[in-house]
Amino acid sequence: MLKAGRLKKTLLIIDNSLFIIERLLNILKEVENLEKINWAANYIEALDSLKIEQPDIVLLDIQLYEKNGIELLKYIVKHHVGTKVIVLSNLVSIYYQDLCKSLGAEHYIDKSTDFERIPEIVAAL
């Protein structure tokens, strides 16, 4: 188990791939400071979930249906102050990394190379 010694937190996974959501749910089981994990498979579901409960942490994919994750990142930063956003993507160019960090993302994770680091990063927040 990954211990962080902090209060229990809620987390929201936003990704259009159910396979990725399932993988994230599996690897996040080892993070002790997570009390609740919700998920949304598209932009609209994500907005609905955010209206119900303000998560402490969001794992956000850039490529979503309806609108992209960058628009959702802007929304979260503006309307959910205090929520930490970790962007997950296969779009690994410096442009997207810099853009997301400038908009308020805490981390930018390459799904193809850094996926296994997610529990460690989440536990540290």
Side-chain angles (χ1 to χ4, degrees), residues 19-32:
F19 174 75
I20 295 293
I21 291 170
E22 287 176 15
R23 279 190 66 200
L24 286 167
L25 290 170
N26 268 339
I27 68 171
L28 290 168
K29 287 179 190 174
E30 66 185 81
V31 180
E32 282 189 348

Side-chain angles (χ1 to χ4, degrees), residues 1 4 6 9 15 20 40 59 70 72 94 103 111 121 124:
M1 291 280 181
R6 298 186 182 174
K9 299 187 183 274
D15 199 298
I20 295 293
L59 295 176
I70 292 170
L72 196 50
I94 295 297
L103 292 172
K111 283 183 181 179
I121 291 167

Side-chain angles (χ1 to χ4, degrees), residues 6 42 46-47 56 63 65 69 74 87 93-94 96-97 102 109-111 116-117 122:
R6 298 186 182 174
N42 60 52
L47 285 179
D56 299 297
Q63 297 173 308
Y65 301 121
K74 291 176 188 176
V87 174
S93 73
I94 295 297
Y96 284 109
Q97 293 177 38
S102 74
I109 296 175
D110 178 349
K111 283 183 181 179
E116 300 305 320
R117 291 187 50 230
V122 168

Side-chain angles (χ1 to χ4, degrees), residues 6 8-12 50 53-58 73-86 103-106 125:
R6 298 186 182 174
K8 297 281 186 175
K9 299 187 183 274
T10 59
L11 181 135
L12 174 61
L50 288 164
E53 181 174 16
Q54 178 165 329
D56 299 297
I57 303 166
V58 171
L73 172 61
K74 291 176 188 176
Y75 174 86
I76 293 168
V77 168
K78 181 176 181 180
H79 297 286
H80 295 276
V81 178
T83 296
K84 307 226 183 280
V85 180
I86 301 168
L103 292 172
E106 295 284 322
L125 292 178

Side-chain angles (χ1 to χ4, degrees), residues 30-72:
E30 66 185 81
V31 180
E32 282 189 348
N33 67 327
L34 288 179
E35 178 177 42
K36 185 176 183 183
I37 302 174
N38 296 319
W39 60 272
N42 60 52
Y43 186 91
I44 302 300
E45 287 178 9
L47 285 179
D48 289 344
S49 183
L50 288 164
K51 288 176 186 173
I52 294 168
E53 181 174 16
Q54 178 165 329
D56 299 297
I57 303 166
V58 171
L59 295 176
L60 174 63
D61 188 10
I62 289 179
Q63 297 173 308
L64 298 173
Y65 301 121
E66 292 95 16
K67 289 188 177 181
N68 66 43
I70 292 170
E71 294 302 315
L72 196 50

